[in-house]
Structures are given as C-alpha cells and as structure tokens.
Amino acid sequence: MTRGILIAGTESSLSAAIAAEAGKRVEQVAVACIPSHIADPGSERFQPSAGGSNIIPLSWNPGSAISARALTLAAVNRLGHIDDAILVCTPPSVRKQAVDLNLGEIETIVNDYIKGWFFLVKELTVYMKARGTGTLAMVLSDVGSVRDEVVDLMGPSVTASFSSFAQGLLASSFGKPYYTLAFFSEIGEDSSFASFIFKHIDEGGKRSSGKWFKYGKLGIFGR
C-alpha cells in the first residue's frame, strides 16, 4: 500500500525542502500552503502548483473550519489515505509600530497562522483516530531575521502560539492510536532539517511519540 503524505504550511523554502524529501519516499505528495498575504520582502516562497509532477497541490483557506475538512477529504481522495501529516510553520515578520498595524494584517495573522492550525489538527486527528493509525508532525522554524530598530510584533506571537499548541498535543498524546511528534529549528538549513524530520518519522513510533526534537549545529536533542 502506498504511503500517503500530506504537507500543509507556509509557502517557504522549508516546505519545499520537506516536499522534496517526501518525494524520495513516495511517487506523489499532497501539499497545501498558506497563501502568502504577508511575507518578508525577498523571502523565498514555495507554490505547490509550480512544483514537480509528483506534487499534488491542494487548496486551503486556514481561517475556515470547512476548508480544513475539505482539505483533509481532498488529501484522502487523492492519496487514498493519510499516513503522515506534516504541518509546517515558518512565522511571518511584520516590523511596524503597534499604531501602524492595519486591521487586515491582524486578521490575516490570526486566521492563517494561529486559528488555522487548530482547525486542521482537529480534522486530521479525527481522521487518524477513526483509522487507528497515522503520524502528526508539527514543524516550527524560527530562524529570525536581521536586527531592526522596529520590533517584530507578529512573528514571535505566531511562534509562541504554535509552540504552545504543539506542546499541548504532545502532552496529550499518550494512549492515542496515532503518533504525535514536534520539530524545531532556528538554523535555517532546510534540506538537512527536512531529512532529519523524516528520519524520525520513518524510524519513529512509540519511542518518538510525544517528544520535541530540535535540530541544531551542536547536535540533535529533545526540547
């Protein structure tokens, strides 16, 4: 039976690297990215529709609970089943004074980078519980950016929310019929980080479930 891999997350070089690593294991990979309404100038973007022939691009509106369910069903229909769901968060950076923030940016951040994860995890865990198997991997990359006189008000908030959500999922993973893992990097070595993620997913199981894994130049260790 072919392994079904779904990657959902930010349009970023990390998402592209994870998709490429997944492509070494299966013929087709389902990928759904958060539309880049907010992004750092010059930042790399990964658009699934422009990917290789092994990429199945799926639509996702993170702020919609209905879209989260539709995405899960679409992935199941296209792949046959979901064995591994990898959620990738690379926080956006918005360097403005609080007085200069506009309502649209605030709404986008909350919907796309905070609320959306809850909707999607809800649908994926319902599916994996019913199927009795699966791996849910939460991936956070917090590389940061060049120091600036204006503090980033958005990125750290997204990082804190995703990290806390992942920690809660790990803490409640005991006794579940699926595995839950979380990964963190602040190095920016996308290809190596992607390889590390799949190494743990491929070799994991009960030993790895419920744990944070941090990728770093000085070694790999639990967080």
Side-chain angles (χ1 to χ4, degrees):
M1 184 181 292
T2 303
R3 180 177 174 184
I5 301 177
L6 169 65
I7 299 168
T10 318
E11 288 182 345
S12 65
S13 58
L14 177 58
S15 293
I18 292 174
E21 192 67 30
K24 298 176 182 179
R25 292 160 173 77
V26 294
E27 292 184 359
Q28 291 189 307
V29 182
V31 180
C33 283
I34 299 171
S36 292
H37 301 302
I38 296 177
D40 292 329
S43 62
E44 294 187 58
R45 294 173 59 182
F46 168 54
Q47 297 180 322
S49 58
S53 59
N54 67 326
I55 299 294
I56 301 174
L58 299 177
S59 298
W60 180 31
N61 175 11
S64 166
I66 294 175
S67 182
R69 179 169 298 180
L71 170 57
T72 303
L73 292 175
V76 172
N77 289 336
R78 296 296 299 274
L79 298 171
H81 45 82
I82 301 173
D83 294 295
D84 306 313
I86 304 171
L87 309 190
V88 186
C89 179
T90 50
S93 176
V94 179
R95 294 184 178 278
K96 293 183 177 181
Q97 298 291 344
V99 69
D100 296 321
L101 291 174
N102 66 59
L103 298 181
E105 288 173 337
I106 297 171
E107 190 79 12
T108 295
I109 289 294
V110 173
N111 285 337
D112 291 2
Y113 294 92
I114 297 178
K115 187 165 69 173
W117 302 119
F118 287 83
F119 287 150
L120 186 54
V121 167
K122 161 69 175 177
E123 295 300 329
L124 290 171
T125 52
V126 166
Y127 168 79
M128 290 180 179
K129 180 180 179 180
R131 190 165 180 253
T133 187
T135 297
L136 174 66
M138 306 289 285
V139 179
L140 174 62
S141 176
D142 188 18
V143 177
S145 56
V146 180
R147 290 184 177 274
D148 197 294
E149 292 182 359
V150 182
V151 174
D152 178 9
L153 294 179
M154 296 294 193
S157 297
V158 171
T159 296
S161 175
F162 189 89
S163 179
S164 294
F165 185 35
Q167 182 60 43
L169 292 171
L170 296 176
S172 62
S173 65
F174 180 78
K176 299 292 192 300
Y178 52 87
Y179 303 127
T180 306
L181 295 77
F183 301 88
F184 175 74
S185 173
E186 54 186 4
I187 303 302
E189 298 175 352
D190 295 329
S191 295
S192 297
F193 186 32
S195 177
F196 166 67
I197 290 168
F198 271 100
K199 178 180 183 296
H200 278 275
I201 293 176
D202 294 344
E203 300 176 357
K206 290 184 178 180
R207 289 186 303 106
S208 299
S209 187
K211 296 180 180 179
W212 271 106
F213 296 93
K214 182 176 179 179
Y215 174 80
K217 291 183 177 179
L218 298 180
I220 311 303
F221 48 90
R223 186 175 182 228

